[in-house]
Amino acid sequence: MTTWRNKMGKPKLPAGAGAPVTPAAPLRRSQRLVAAAEPSGAQIPASSPRQAKRTPSRRASPRRIQSRGSNRRPSAAHHHKKKKNTPYFWGARRARSVLAGGGDNFPALSPIRLLGKKRRFHFCANAPAWGAKRARSAICCGGGDAKPLDPAPAQDVDWANLGDGPAGLIADLLLANDVADYVRFRAVCQPWRRCSPDPRAGGLDGRFLPRRWIMLDKAITANPRCHRFLNISTGESIRMDLHELAEHKFLALTPEGLLLLLHEPTRIIRLLNPLTRQLTNLPPVTSLRSMEEWFGIKVYGAGLADASTVAVCFSHPRVLAVAKPGDVCWTVVHSGYLNSTLPYAGRFYCCVGSRLMVLDTTTDQQPPRLMVAAERSSHIYFSQMSDSLHLVDNAGELIMVHRSLYPDSEHNYKRKYQSYRVDLDAGAFVPAKGFNGRAIFMGRRRTISLAAETFPSISADTLYLGYDFDESYMIVEYNDLADDSSDGTHPFSIVDCLSHCIQRNGEELA
């Protein structure tokens, strides 16, 4: 039905109409835009005389109908191809451009290349559109008749045939860490033993010495030759069956972790490496004593003077003698009493009276001899009858502990302990206030140093005494840790075990 208006803008009834027609309500802006965009939509009635002048059949141009932000620069896709009669108003969805993978049979575009001053597009038909989903491959069970590929079958690695290169490198790294790990590595298979040197063929090779291991005590087993060894750096404990002790007499333990043995049938002195089971022969003891007196021999100190020389302090007779593997007899260096002995930094040190001496074996023209390494100062009083000196390697630092006897105010004699750091360059003793966070276990003949953080029950910067001292008191407090494997005849804490194992030269452990 067509509505006619008069000059005043009021609707005029056509002929035959029974009732006046109510004018249409003005449409909203969005409704007018939708009606204008439709090609066959109804005409929008004018609400004012000014709007009535417009042609009723004229549609709104899409270029005139714009949303907010219509001043934005059109994208490159619109310059490439435009669709006619496409509405672009507020709230309408834009058509996908070729950059987003839209359009019909349009190749995707690669990134823009700047050619001259204008931006141009370089078409690449094989390039995937940005944001497009990737096609599933056959491995991911994707499309078509493609069947999923079976995973590669697990291949068995022949670890025994690693080759001399990789296996040899692993052996070197293990040997640099600990000789016990090296022995475990060689025990795996024969190919691994072929690519690593045999520790039994090295003699006194320093690489295979168990410097971190000490004999702790006898293991509680039915085998009387089974002993426990403790790694003082890590706290690891192992058991070793030393069947060599059945044929030898135990003499002493060395700071390098070796066992000094006496082969009674031949009277030959031997060094045993408890981890590698290497036996090193030394000259017989008959070169020092007569045949009738050899059975009473005792040792109170032993160690390596250099890479191939062994120094031993004999108690009967009281001499310091040296020898090398293969020598016929021992060479006596010093006759008399020695307070303490210690191999340190590749040399052999000992205390003669109140002086620190070093064994010189560097010259071939002269026999081995003792030289003064450090002298005591005038404020250090030393009594040969009541005092004693004790040397210890405190993690690379040479420490001397002076054990003295002094009277108190009530004229009661008590023991006093003073520690000194040995300055080998200056040849002097410097008072030490502590042990650099470590603990020292001191016996009459042996002294060891270990890190306090390795054993929680041990206090740092503390001196622990061995059970072979006759003092009626201890200068430390014992922290008992129960051990399920111990009985009434064994210590109950790591402190008790260490105080027990450092007694004398270790003959209590044999």
Side-chain angles (χ1 to χ4, degrees):
M1 179 179 179
T2 306
T3 302
W4 299 91
R5 298 176 183 272
N6 55 13
K7 295 182 179 180
M8 299 300 295
K10 297 180 179 182
K12 183 179 180 180
L13 296 175
V21 179
T22 305
L27 299 178
R28 294 182 179 181
R29 182 172 180 270
S30 60
Q31 295 175 348
R32 294 199 305 271
L33 295 176
V34 173
E38 296 179 356
S40 59
Q43 297 180 2
I44 301 175
S47 58
S48 62
R50 186 176 180 181
Q51 294 179 351
K53 297 180 181 181
R54 299 179 179 177
T55 305
S57 60
R58 185 180 179 183
R59 294 179 300 177
S61 174
R63 187 171 296 180
R64 289 173 175 263
I65 303 173
Q66 298 179 354
S67 63
R68 301 175 186 177
S70 59
N71 56 350
R72 292 181 299 181
R73 186 176 181 179
S75 63
H78 290 281
H79 289 288
H80 182 71
K81 180 178 179 180
K82 292 185 179 180
K83 291 185 179 181
K84 297 181 179 180
N85 301 328
T86 302
Y88 182 47
F89 51 87
W90 183 265
R93 303 181 71 177
R94 291 179 58 184
R96 290 187 177 182
S97 63
V98 293
L99 287 176
D104 297 333
N105 300 326
F106 275 96
L109 298 181
S110 65
I112 298 174
R113 293 184 180 180
L114 295 179
L115 303 177
K117 296 182 179 180
K118 297 182 179 181
R119 289 186 177 181
R120 297 181 183 179
F121 293 96
H122 174 71
F123 288 88
C124 180
N126 296 328
W130 183 87
K133 289 186 177 181
R134 213 167 40 170
R136 292 185 179 181
S137 61
I139 297 179
C140 299
C141 303
D145 298 333
K147 296 182 179 180
L149 298 178
D150 295 333
Q155 297 181 359
D156 295 335
V157 180
D158 189 3
W159 293 104
N161 295 324
L162 288 178
D164 295 344
L169 179 60
I170 296 174
D172 293 340
L173 294 176
L174 292 176
L175 183 58
N177 179 51
D178 190 5
V179 65
D181 297 334
Y182 182 79
V183 173
R184 297 187 184 106
F185 175 82
R186 298 188 78 254
V188 174
C189 59
Q190 185 177 0
W192 288 10
R193 286 192 291 272
R194 287 198 304 262
C195 67
S196 54
D198 187 3
R200 298 186 180 184
L204 297 176
D205 193 342
R207 298 177 300 169
F208 306 116
L209 298 179
R211 300 181 185 274
R212 302 179 182 178
W213 295 87
I214 61 172
M215 182 186 288
L216 195 60
D217 55 13
K218 289 184 179 180
I220 306 175
T221 61
N223 189 354
R225 298 187 302 270
C226 187
H227 291 72
R228 288 198 305 171
F229 288 82
L230 177 69
N231 189 323
I232 60 177
S233 298
T234 63
E236 179 185 2
S237 178
I238 59 175
R239 295 183 179 184
M240 298 294 297
D241 183 10
L242 303 178
H243 58 83
E244 293 85 356
L245 295 180
E247 302 175 356
H248 297 80
K249 179 183 178 181
F250 182 84
L251 295 180
L253 294 171
T254 70
E256 295 88 359
L258 303 177
L259 279 67
L260 190 68
L261 306 177
L262 174 65
H263 189 243
E264 295 182 347
T266 60
R267 302 176 180 86
I268 294 178
I269 294 181
R270 291 174 175 174
L271 280 175
L272 172 65
N273 189 326
L275 299 184
T276 65
R277 317 307 289 268
Q278 167 68 18
L279 272 173
T280 303
N281 292 331
L282 296 174
V285 72
T286 54
S287 60
L288 297 175
R289 303 192 62 173
S290 62
M291 294 288 293
E292 293 78 11
E293 297 177 346
W294 72 269
F295 58 88
I297 189 171
K298 291 184 180 180
V299 175
Y300 64 91
L304 297 181
D306 54 33
S308 60
T309 304
V310 180
V312 179
C313 293
F314 294 95
S315 179
H316 300 287
R318 185 165 293 180
V319 295
L320 172 62
V322 297
K324 294 183 179 181
D327 289 351
V328 179
C329 60
W330 292 85
T331 301
V332 177
V333 179
H334 176 78
S335 297
Y337 180 77
L338 300 178
N339 267 298
S340 178
T341 61
L342 177 69
Y344 172 77
R347 308 189 73 178
F348 190 82
Y349 291 87
C350 60
C351 292
V352 179
S354 61
R355 297 182 300 175
L356 179 65
M357 311 295 288
V358 59
L359 182 59
D360 184 17
T361 60
T362 57
T363 59
D364 298 334
Q365 292 78 11
Q366 296 180 358
R369 56 195 180 99
L370 291 178
M371 301 177 61
V372 178
E375 287 274 6
R376 69 176 180 89
S377 58
S378 57
H379 68 277
I380 301 178
Y381 175 76
F382 178 79
S383 174
Q384 187 73 33
M385 298 296 295
S386 60
D387 297 356
S388 62
L389 301 177
H390 306 268
L391 299 175
V392 59
D393 184 359
N394 188 42
E397 186 179 45
L398 185 57
I399 297 292
M400 186 190 71
V401 179
H402 181 201
R403 173 175 171 264
S404 59
L405 187 66
Y406 75 100
D408 59 3
S409 58
E410 298 178 358
H411 301 285
N412 296 323
Y413 285 90
K414 294 183 178 180
R415 286 291 180 182
K416 181 179 181 182
Y417 301 86
Q418 294 176 319
S419 60
Y420 299 91
R421 181 176 58 85
V422 182
D423 188 355
L424 295 176
D425 297 333
F429 299 100
V430 181
K433 298 181 179 180
F435 304 132
N436 298 328
R438 301 175 66 88
I440 291 180
F441 284 78
M442 187 180 73
R444 286 186 178 271
R445 303 288 174 81
R446 298 171 56 226
T447 308
I448 60 175
S449 170
L450 48 86
E453 59 268 14
T454 305
F455 306 94
S457 60
I458 294 178
S459 303
D461 297 315
T462 305
L463 178 67
Y464 293 85
L465 298 180
Y467 288 158
D468 53 351
F469 283 113
D470 55 356
E471 282 81 352
S472 59
Y473 65 93
M474 291 292 178
I475 62 176
V476 295
E477 295 181 358
Y478 286 81
N479 300 319
D480 292 338
L481 297 177
D483 188 358
D484 296 336
S485 63
S486 60
D487 56 13
T489 61
H490 286 74
F492 293 92
S493 69
I494 185 62
V495 175
D496 294 331
C497 289
L498 293 174
S499 299
H500 170 73
C501 75
I502 63 171
Q503 297 183 82
R504 300 176 178 87
N505 291 322
E507 59 267 19
E508 305 284 341
L509 309 176

